[in-house]
Amino acid sequence: MLAAAVIIGVIAVIGVLFGYMLWEARGLTITEEEVVLERLPSSFDGVRLFFITDFHRRMLTQRHMSQLEQHEKAELVLVGGDMIERGVPLEQCLYNMSCLRQYAPVIAVHGNHDYKVDIRKLDDDLRDIGVKLLDNEAMRLEQSGEFIWIAGWDDFSSGRTDIRLAMSEPRGEPHCTIVLTHDPLSLRGVDVKDIDVVLSGHTHGGQICVPGYGPLRTGKFYRKYLAGWYDFQDEANQRTKLFISRGFGTSHLPFRLNSKPEAHFIILRSGAKASVS
């Protein structure tokens, strides 16, 4: 009788744990992140970017969009890759991106899971709905006669990142540069001198993090750079700001523990303006 009661108790605890992890994975926390950039032109001070990454199998719902609309509107949406994964209908990905495109202009980069579907059709359809894809290239954002760069690095784990190509224009005409990349590991070994801030995802914040232990599965680099803000230092001791999002969806299993889904408003602040005032 005692053994049976223990077994039933263990099964109940496991059931509650899995139920909680499923519930946590279905949520969404939207944060407001301010970042001071020394080279940011004063005309860009206060510009709001909405950053979201790692959709995988999840769909944006009206509830999610209502959460978004409770915040002051962003001028631009940045999507950090893994917009889809194998087995997900393309129409679902296009629906998600259309929701964001109706909210504001969208700039996106690829993640590793995007390359596990028909990437040419994905890209063609994304462009048809007005999504700007940055594949190892940079674009200028202009305002009041001043400009900044947004550089998009293609996926790292599939060997498609080309830093030299992506950074050719920002390094040829140096101005404040925001890098959008799926995987923060793409920074390893890179000269970050001309990079003001990097926005990335991929880690899911560990996705399942056991109290007192941390992520169940992740490498040494990702244990150091898991989620949130970091002062990233390259081999020459040059520094840049790095932000890693826990992302919106999940990979492999639809569970999260101590790593809630999130998206972010990134508010740009001019260091030059702050020093004058």
Side-chain angles (χ1 to χ4, degrees), residues 35-255:
V35 57
V36 177
L37 306 177
E38 295 301 322
R39 297 196 299 169
L40 185 75
S42 58
S43 63
F44 282 83
D45 185 78
V47 164
R48 296 171 62 85
L49 310 174
F50 182 67
F51 176 50
I52 186 168
T53 184
D54 294 277
F55 284 80
H56 293 277
R57 293 182 172 274
R58 286 197 78 184
M59 285 188 67
L60 286 170
T61 65
Q62 186 55 51
R63 177 174 62 85
H64 298 138
M65 297 308 296
S66 295
Q67 281 182 259
L68 179 59
E69 289 162 2
Q70 288 172 13
H71 296 255
E72 184 181 341
K73 187 174 173 60
E75 286 90 339
L76 188 66
V77 174
L78 301 180
V79 176
D82 281 359
M83 296 168 275
I84 194 171
E85 65 176 46
R86 184 183 290 120
V88 173
L90 178 58
E91 291 74 21
Q92 179 174 312
C93 172
L94 297 176
Y95 172 81
N96 286 335
M97 295 303 113
S98 293
C99 288
L100 295 174
R101 182 64 187 88
Q102 291 170 18
Y103 174 76
V106 177
I107 296 173
V109 294
H110 294 123
N112 53 306
H113 283 275
D114 297 319
Y115 281 101
K116 296 178 182 180
V117 303
D118 185 341
I119 192 68
R120 290 186 178 179
K121 180 164 179 52
L122 172 65
D123 288 0
D124 287 345
D125 288 351
L126 287 173
R127 292 185 180 106
D128 285 346
I129 62 173
V131 173
K132 171 67 175 176
L133 289 164
L134 292 181
D135 288 338
N136 295 318
E137 61 183 309
M139 65 178 292
R140 293 164 61 123
L141 295 183
E142 301 186 359
Q143 186 161 283
S144 302
E146 298 176 304
F147 76 92
I148 63 174
W149 293 107
I150 293 187
W153 296 359
D154 205 353
D155 178 55
F156 176 78
S157 64
S158 55
R160 292 176 170 87
T161 302
D162 188 332
I163 306 296
R164 182 194 59 79
L165 180 61
M167 298 299 295
S168 58
E169 288 186 289
R171 286 175 174 165
E173 193 176 358
H175 280 72
C176 181
T177 300
I178 298 169
V179 167
L180 180 63
T181 182
H182 177 64
D183 188 343
L185 188 58
S186 61
L187 277 171
R188 192 166 62 180
V190 172
D191 175 357
V192 302
K193 176 172 61 71
D194 299 308
I195 299 171
D196 297 83
V197 64
V198 178
L199 305 178
S200 66
H202 184 64
T203 69
H204 298 199
Q207 190 164 312
I208 298 178
C209 298
V210 178
Y213 176 78
L216 281 182
R217 291 184 58 192
T218 193
K220 181 179 178 181
F221 180 91
Y222 300 118
R223 280 189 173 272
K224 183 176 180 180
Y225 300 103
L226 189 64
W229 286 101
Y230 298 92
D231 180 22
F232 186 88
Q233 182 174 300
D234 67 15
E235 295 172 355
N237 297 321
Q238 299 169 129
R239 298 174 182 274
T240 190
K241 295 177 174 67
L242 168 63
F243 182 71
I244 304 173
S245 173
R246 291 180 174 86
F248 179 58
T250 60
S251 61
H252 304 298
L253 296 172
F255 301 122

